[in-house]
Amino acid sequence: MVCAPSLSFTCPPGFVPDRIGAGRSSEVFAEGPDRVVKLYRQPFEPQAVVNELAASRLAHGFGLPVPRAFGLVGRAGRTGILFARLDGPPMMVRYACNPFGLLLALRRVARIQHAIHACPAPGLPSQQARLRHQIAGARVPEPLRAAALAALDRLPAGDRLCHGDVHPGNVIATSAGLHLIDWQKAAAGNPAADVARSELMLRYGRFGPAWFSRLPPVRTARRLIAAWYVASYRAATGLPREAIAAWRLPVAVARLFGQPAGTDAELLAAIEALARQSPDFGKASLFPGPGQNPGRGPVPHNPSAKVPR
């Protein structure tokens, strides 16, 4: 369990800051010249907010390039975190017209991820338990779910600090270097799983409109960029390629737990290919039977259970 934060702030009534960024689960507002407040959209999972605060503080305490987290804030019924402000554009914006610069920046991110994995993660939730929960509720046929869970059972849990969502969208390019944000998915786990997640996001994460991501040249470029990133991490760490590959199936299936995305069909096809290489993949049909929901499998035993995502 993550300990509850000891510091909280309440903003003055009627105070309306300037919004400087937004994502699927939160919005970021300016809070004076040197701070920002990240407010979570409703509904939100309180444990995810607490986890982001704890993980951000932990990472900052280790000297990692992470904005300092001051504490929780409350405003108009919404909950968020007060952070030190990072001045600079997102990494993808900074290198949008500089492909060579993007590759060099990705290599630096891989080294940052390696530095993260060198740290312990006391008090953070289990990466493996979270993956198991997400696989159980993923939008996949039952044979794929079973193969992913069986693969997960064979893999070592690990106790290293893992960000859980390292990709260019969560990197800010400042004058002092690259900084990693959005730690709500952080966990104690296996570095190979964390890298497999980064590889997955580089290939299948949201990047522009769905039609753009489906263009063959874009798909090829993303595949090559993901391979470059994995090679950069392996060059910094010596981690065997097979160690990362072993996590691809459970990590990919877990990805289909969240909100639907335009690349889900492509990812599902990749999952089927991975599953067919697995010794745990049976000969059961991938097609739904009468009364089943295509692509979803059975309803999880406890769909209301909440874990940080």
Side-chain angles (χ1 to χ4, degrees):
M1 294 294 294
V2 177
C3 296
S6 58
L7 196 61
S8 63
F9 300 86
T10 302
C11 298
F15 179 77
V16 181
D18 297 325
R19 193 175 86 162
I20 59 175
R24 296 169 62 202
S25 62
S26 63
E27 298 173 291
V28 179
F29 299 88
E31 181 95 352
D34 58 358
R35 296 185 182 185
V36 297
V37 57
K38 178 178 181 178
L39 292 178
Y40 290 82
R41 300 182 188 276
Q42 300 282 11
F44 69 96
E45 295 181 18
Q47 188 63 20
V49 181
V50 172
N51 190 64
E52 177 164 17
L53 177 58
S56 298
R57 285 177 165 173
L58 186 65
H60 188 269
F62 286 133
L64 297 168
V66 178
R68 179 183 177 189
F70 295 103
L72 294 181
V73 299
R75 181 180 293 122
R78 296 176 66 182
T79 299
I81 302 174
L82 189 66
F83 286 103
R85 180 166 184 161
L86 297 175
D87 289 320
M91 177 176 153
M92 286 303 298
V93 174
R94 169 66 176 81
Y95 297 103
C97 299
N98 184 359
F100 183 69
L102 175 62
L103 293 179
L104 294 180
L106 283 170
R107 187 168 64 184
R108 293 197 296 273
V109 173
R111 292 171 178 170
I112 292 172
Q113 192 172 28
H114 173 43
I116 293 170
H117 295 158
C119 301
L124 294 188
S126 163
Q127 176 194 68
Q128 202 162 38
R130 177 182 291 150
L131 286 171
R132 187 176 305 280
H133 173 85
Q134 293 172 340
I135 292 169
R139 304 180 303 276
V140 296
E142 188 57 31
L144 300 183
R145 189 188 329 279
L149 288 172
L152 185 64
D153 287 339
R154 293 194 303 270
L155 293 167
D159 61 356
R160 299 288 86 192
L161 177 60
C162 295
H163 179 276
D165 206 20
V166 175
H167 60 79
N170 283 336
V171 179
I172 302 297
T174 76
S175 59
L178 302 178
H179 286 67
L180 197 55
I181 61 172
D182 289 353
W183 286 76
Q184 63 264 38
K185 295 182 177 70
N190 191 310
D194 206 35
V195 178
R197 164 76 181 191
S198 296
E199 178 189 33
L200 176 83
M201 295 304 294
L202 286 167
R203 288 199 66 176
Y204 302 108
R206 290 172 179 82
F207 180 67
W211 64 266
F212 181 75
S213 296
R214 289 193 292 265
L215 293 175
V218 175
R219 293 172 62 180
T220 299
R222 295 187 69 170
R223 176 176 56 82
L224 294 174
I225 288 171
W228 165 262
Y229 186 85
V230 171
S232 297
Y233 184 90
R234 293 185 59 243
T237 65
L239 186 68
R241 181 182 292 105
E242 295 75 16
I244 300 170
W247 285 93
R248 285 173 179 156
L249 178 59
V251 167
V253 173
R255 167 67 178 167
L256 292 180
F257 173 79
Q259 299 179 25
T263 56
D264 282 1
E266 184 182 0
L267 178 55
L268 183 59
I271 290 171
E272 291 180 359
L274 287 169
R276 293 184 189 282
Q277 302 170 16
S278 169
D280 307 297
F281 185 67
K283 296 182 179 180
S285 173
L286 293 178
F287 297 96
Q292 287 185 293
N293 193 357
R296 288 185 179 269
V299 176
H301 173 66
N302 186 10
S304 64
K306 297 289 187 179
V307 298
R309 293 197 297 274

